[in-house]
Amino acid sequence: METGNTNWDRVEELYHAALDRPAHQRTAWLAAQSAYDAATREEVASLLAALRKHEELSTGPRTREPSDADAPEEEPAPARFGPYLTSGLLGQGGMGAVYLAKRVDGQFDQLVALKVIAGHLAGAGMVKRFQTERQLLASLNHPNITRLLDGGVAASGDPYLVMEYVEGRTLDRECDERKLGIAERLRLFQQVLEAVDYAHRSLVLHRDLKPANILVTGSASGQPGIAKLLDFGTASLMAEDSDLTQTRARPFTPRYASPEELRGERATTASDIFSLGVILYELLTGAWPFGKAESVAGELNRAFSNPAAKPPATAITPQAAESRSLSPDTLGRLLRGDLSAIVLKALESSPARRYGTVRQFSDDIEAYLEGQPVQARPQTALYRTGKFLRRRWLPITVAAVFVTAISAAAIVSLHEARVAREEASKAEKVNQFLTDMLSSGSGFRFDPERLTVAEMLEASEPLLSTRWKDDPLTRAVLQRSLGASYTAIHRLDRGKAQLDSALATFRARGDDKEIASTLLWLSANLVESGRLEEGVACLDDALTRVRRMGKNAPPLLAFSIESQLATLLTVYLNRRIPESLALFHEAIDRARRDPAIPRTEMAVAMSHLAGMLGTQGKIEEAERMTQEALAIGRTEDPGGSWEIGPLYELAILHSRQKDMAGATEYARQRYENMVRHLGEDSVYTASSRAMWARGLAESGNTGEALRQLDAAMPIVRKAYQPLNANLWTPVVAASRIYCKAGIFAKAEAYAREALQIVDAEGLPKMDTRRAESLFHLGAALHGEQQDAAAFPVLQQSLAIYRQSGPAFANSVERVQTLLNGMAK
Amino acid sequence: MGNQEPAGDITRLLRAWGSDREGIPEQLLQLTYERLRNLAGACMRRERPGHTLQPTALVNELYLRLAAGPHTWHDRNHFYRFCARAMRWILTDHARSRLRDKRKLDLQIPLSDDIPWLGGRDSDIADLDMALSKLESLDARKARVLELRLYLGCTKEETIEILGLSKATVDRDLNLARAWLCRELRPDAPPAAG
C-alpha cells in the first residue's frame, strides 16, 4: 500500500477508515481524528464529498450500453420468434446469430433463415442497424440476392429477420469441389456482379463481400448453379449520413477489405469492387492477391503500404490448376493476358483507378468470355497501355512544370489553371495517339508491367525506321504520334526531333492537312520549351494552311489551331488581342456548328475567351459565357478535368465583383475537381487549395483558411525550388491569409518572399505581380503598425497599378483605400 | 482475458518474441486481434463513416505502437498493461486532435461503469488523461487500475489478474480513485444519454 508519498499514504489510510463508519457519522468522526494533521483531514473530507457526488451521479438511469464484451455467447436452443421456431444454428457472427427455422402456425412449410441480434450486443444502435438491414433488404428484389420474407420482434424484445433459406455451398467451395474451369467460374462470378450492380444501383453498399457470403444453389443436378448474395448486415445506404451507417465494430473481413476500409475511411462502391476483385482473384488462382493468405499481418500491412497485387499467373499452384481441371501451364497462360488486366484493375489500391462501376467490371468479363481470346488480346494490350498511361503520365509531367513569363495584364495562376487542365486532357490525347500508334503496327507488343512510357517510346523509335522504311508517309504519321507522346511526357528534345522529321516529310509532299496537324503539336512542344514566339509562328503557319483548305479543313483541326493560337496570344503573351478575340469567336462558332468537336474543348475555348473579356472589364458577358461553357461541357463530361478552367474563371470573375462567398465556392469546386483528377498531392491541386484558402480568408473564415493553407504549402514547397515563379501565387495567398488572420509578421515574411520571387524572375519594374506583392507587404507592415515603412511601399504599388489599364481599377481602389486609412 | 485466448499461448509467444523482433508475431496477432478489435469497436460506437479514426484503424495503430513498445514482454499481463497505456495514448491523441479541429465527437470512454458521469466531449477525454497523469504521480497503481478499466474495458477479475493484486486492494483502489477523479474533474451533471 506504500506509494513512497507519506502524506498520500496517510490520506488513504484515513479515507478508508472513515469509510468504515456509517455515512452520517463520518464528518464528526473525521474531525475527532487528531492523530492526523488538519491538511490530511481536510483532504479526506473533500475526497469523501467527491465520493458522495460520484455516487449521486452514478445512480441515475444508466446512459451507457453495457460494455462487458466478455459475456458468453447465447447457446443455441430451440426458440420461438413470433410464428417461427428455430431448429438449428446456421451461423454466428459479431452481430448476432442466424438460425434455421420454420413457421409453426402451418401457414407454409418452407424452411427459412432467421437472423437475431445476439442479446448481449443489443442496444439502441444495433436495433437501428437491424432496421436498416430490413429496409435495405426489403428494397432489393433480385434473383441473385436472398429475399427478405418477414421480420418482427420476439417476446424477449429481440428483433429478428426472416430470409429465404438458401441450401448450397459457398462460392469458393462450389467452384473447387466441382472443379469448375475458368469460364464456368467467371459465369458464376458474373451473377455475383449482377447482384452487386443491382444493389449499387439501388444505392446500397454491401461492405462485406466474401465467398462465405455468396452461396451457390441448384447445381446438384449438374445444372449451372445460381449464386445468391447473403448477409446485408453490414450494408449501408450510399451517401447516408445518419446513425444508420455507424460502423461500430463492423465485422467486415480484413482479407477482402479494400485498403481504404482497412484504414477506416469511408466505404464506397469502389470498396465493394475491390472486395469483388479479391474474390475473383481467389476464384481464378486459388491464392490471396497480397501474399500469404489469412495473414493478419499482411492485412494490416495492406492498410498502410498499398502493395500491388501479385500478377495472377505467378500465384498459381499445381493444386489450384488441378481443381480448375487444367494443367498449370494452361492456367498460367489463361491468367497472363486479359484476365490479369481485368482482375488487377479491380484490385488497384487507389479507388479512382478501379472500375468506375460494377457494370464496367462485368462488361469486361463478358467481353473476355465472348471474344476470341487471340483477337481480344491486342485490344487488351491497348487498354492496358491506356491504364498505364493514366497511371504514370500525370506525375511525370506534373513534376516538370514549365514556367512562363506572363505579361502585365495576365494573372499568373490563370496560366496555372490552364496548364493543369491541359495536363489532364493531354493525357487523354496521348493515350489516343498511342492507341493509334500501336494499332497501326502489326506485332508490336508492349508490356506495361516492365516498361515506363519513356522506355516504351524509345523502344518503338527503331521500329519506325526499319518497319516503315519504304512507307515514309506512314512513318511520318507515326513519328508525329511519337513526337506528341514525347512532348506529353516532357521529353521535349526527343519530341521535337520526331516532329521536325515528320514535318519535313509532309512539307516535301505539300500536304496542308498533315502539315497543319504536325505544326499544332510542334507548337505545343515549343511552348513547353519556353519558345513562345516560335510556337506562335507554327500556329500562324498552320492557320494559313487551314484557311487555304477552306471547307476541306477537318473541323477539329481548324478549331484546335484557332483556339490554341488565341489562347497562346492572350493568356501567355497578351498581344494581338482583337485578332485573338476574333479567333476565339471563330473557333467557338465552328464548334457550335459541328457536333464532332468535343463539347469540353468548346467549353474550354469559351472560358478562355471569357477570361479575356473579364480582364477587359466585361464582367457580365464573361460570367454569362463561362456559365454557358460549363453547361455545354457538362453535357459531355460532367465533373471532368476540363472544368478546372471554367471554374477558375468563375472564381476570378466573382472576386472581381467582390462576391467573395461565390468566388470561394468556385475555388472549392475547382480544388475538389483537381483532387479527383490530379490527386491531392499534385502541386497543381495544392496551389488551387491555397487559392481556395485565400477565398476562405477573404470571406472571413480565417481558421479554415489557415488549416487549408497548412495542408497545401508543404506540397508546394516540396515541388519547387526556392524562388521558383510558380511559388508566387500560393505565397501571395499565404501572405493575404495571415494578414486576414492578424498574424502580420508571417504576412510580412510571405510578402517579402513574393517580392523576391518577382525579382528573381527579372520581371519588368511595372509588372502587376510586383504591384500585388508590394500591396501585401504594405498591408502587413500597416498591420504591424509600421505605417512609415508601409507608406512608400504602397505608393510604389499604386503607381504600377495606375499604369496598368482599366482592368486594375479595383486594385487601384484597394491600395488607395488602404493609403487613405493610413493618412488618417 | 476472455475465453477466446489461451493465456499460456500468448505468454509463450510474447516471451519468444524478444530475440528477433521483425514486427509482431503472426500468431500473437491472431490471438489478440478479435479481442482488440471488439474493444476498439466499443470505443467507437458513435463513429460515423468518413470521420477519422475507426475501429480497424484504431487496432492497427495499437499494433504499430506495440511494435515500437518494450523489448521484452514478461507475460500476457504485461502485454495487456501495455495495451491499456497504448489505447489511452491513442484515444487521447485522437480526442486532442479533434479538439483542435473542432470536429464532432466520435469516441466513447470509459469502457467501464466506473465513472459513468464522465462527459462525452473530446475535451472530457483530454481532461481525463490529464487527471490520470496527475493521479499517476501521486499513486501509480491506482492509475494503472483505472487505465485497465477505462481504456481496455477489463472486468474486475481481469484487473486483479493482470495487476497481480488482491480483490480487496482493487476494490479500495477503485473506490478512492473514483472519488479522487470526481473531485478532480468536477462533473456538473449526468452526461446526456447516448
Side-chain angles (χ1 to χ4, degrees), chain A residues 624-638:
Chain A
R624 230 183 5 256
M625 182 168 293
T626 319
Q627 294 289 5
E628 192 196 346
L630 268 183
I632 287 173
R634 280 174 181 167
T635 60
E636 188 177 279
D637 182 16

Side-chain angles (χ1 to χ4, degrees), chain A residues 602-618:
Chain A
M602 175 182 176
V604 169
M606 288 173 76
S607 75
H608 284 176
L609 173 55
M612 197 60 233
L613 294 172
T615 58
Q616 295 179 339
K618 297 173 182 163

